[in-house]
Amino acid sequence: MAEKRFVATKVEVEGREETKIVEVPAFEPIPWTADMPMEVVGQCVPRMDALEKVTGHAIYTADIRRPGMLYAEIVRAPIAHGRVLTLDLAPALEIPGVRSVLRREEVEGIRYDSGQLFDQTIRFAGQPLAAVCADTAEAARRGAKAVIVRVETERHAVSIEAALAPTAPLVRPKGNTSTHSPRVAQRGDADAALRSADVVVIREFRTPTALHTAMEPHGAVAEWTGDQLTVWESTQGIFNTRSDLAAAFGLKLTHVRVIKDYMGGGFGAKNGAHASTYIAVALARKTGAPVRCVLDREGEQVDSGNRSATVQRVTLGATRAGQVTAIVVDAEIAMGVGGWFAGPGKIYHELYACPNVRTTETFVYTHTGAMTSFRAPGHVEGAFGLECSMDALARALSIDPLELRRRNYADHDQEKNRRYSAKNLDECYREGASRFGWRTAAPTARK
């Protein structure tokens, strides 16, 4: 038997570079050549799950039915900022069909992007405060509505401008900007390049918060068998979810099984356990029965995270011949109450050839739900600001915007100074222009 080999390699996931240890065969695989016949790669291959999905036979998390299963509903905060004065769950237990409730003290130490589960300090509207489970989904909803919640309201800051104001209320105890702020990345001398540029354009762009809204909302069904936990979850990351649950409930990884048969959309937001997952597991442990916690559409909008809103102030410098010589970006990113630091700056360093680039990113906490991964987080927002700025530069130079992009084509990774293994964007420019009849014309300069 051939011996195994383990190698360390660096991988980039959504702008974050990580070192991974991977197992590879002892032998070297045969390199692919241009004339090698491919049965799967590059071929039109039917999806293995296509028939089940189009005929309605695919099983999603909401379709799971376990013997004696209970239904959970989340009690949510009615305000954006404040604290809970009274949380009386007793009225819920008087509703016919309600079997149990879940309180803050029963989930101590369980944390996720929004912070401590059932935190009684309210930091965004819709924040989970407690949960109710019942024989039916309707009884659970009635039980949640019966809970008496009295709160003390405090001033809130739900926008970047409000959170950065001198008198802004604190979103987090240490302030409204992250300890990573400002995050500055640069190469060359952007200020000197701007001073010597023939043309300089300055623009400000704002991108709004975007919500995931997958067709299948977040949800889980949890069942305990002794100290063994099984969870049916709509997730992109079964192993991440398993690790999250094992850590939260003090279990060995081998005692947690996560099952995902089919998933109706994820976009990056379903990479691990969420409030609905922890609630289903905690209530199942407390009641001894399987528990389902699947979010409704409103809960999905609140709990599933979002793409951050941004403010981007962009300055481009260029020669009259259309060579970009400087890119400077000052950006503010709305994090909500948490998440990880995905900003728009990265694409400004990558997409176009430019020797002088500086991006400054400030991550701002606001009284809204936490950001999370959302299909190229940061890059989409940055692409909007960068491409609009390039269009403005094309107008200022009276150069066709497609030609401007081709003149500044980047054929290598400028940060690591190495060529791309493959890049066909220039070919896409040519083919796209040909197919939809792009006619090169010098645009009229305008402010």
Side-chain angles (χ1 to χ4, degrees), residues 321-402:
Q323 188 65 48
V324 177
T325 57
I327 300 174
V328 175
V329 180
D330 183 12
E332 292 152 357
I333 303 97
M335 295 287 293
V337 297
W340 56 278
F341 306 110
K346 187 73 171 175
I347 198 170
Y348 287 93
H349 291 267
E350 296 177 334
L351 189 53
Y352 297 112
C354 182
N356 307 290
V357 182
R358 183 178 70 246
T359 58
T360 303
E361 298 170 300
T362 299
F363 297 94
V364 183
Y365 295 115
T366 59
H367 287 116
T368 58
M371 68 77 64
T372 191
S373 298
F374 196 155
R375 284 294 172 265
H379 278 61
V380 173
E381 305 92 294
F384 175 77
L386 175 55
E387 295 293 67
C388 288
S389 297
M390 288 291 283
D391 285 345
L393 180 60
R395 290 192 294 269
L397 292 168
S398 293
I399 295 177
D400 174 72
L402 176 57

Side-chain angles (χ1 to χ4, degrees), residues 157-206:
V158 297
S159 68
I160 290 173
E161 291 81 2
L164 292 179
T167 59
L170 289 180
V171 179
R172 296 173 69 135
K174 293 184 179 180
N176 292 354
T177 59
S178 77
T179 55
H180 296 78
S181 297
R183 183 170 71 181
V184 180
Q186 57 187 328
R187 63 172 179 267
D189 189 336
D191 292 330
L194 285 176
R195 288 193 295 268
S196 62
D198 295 327
V199 176
V200 174
V201 297
I202 302 173
R203 295 291 188 274
E204 179 176 292
F205 304 97
R206 293 169 180 263

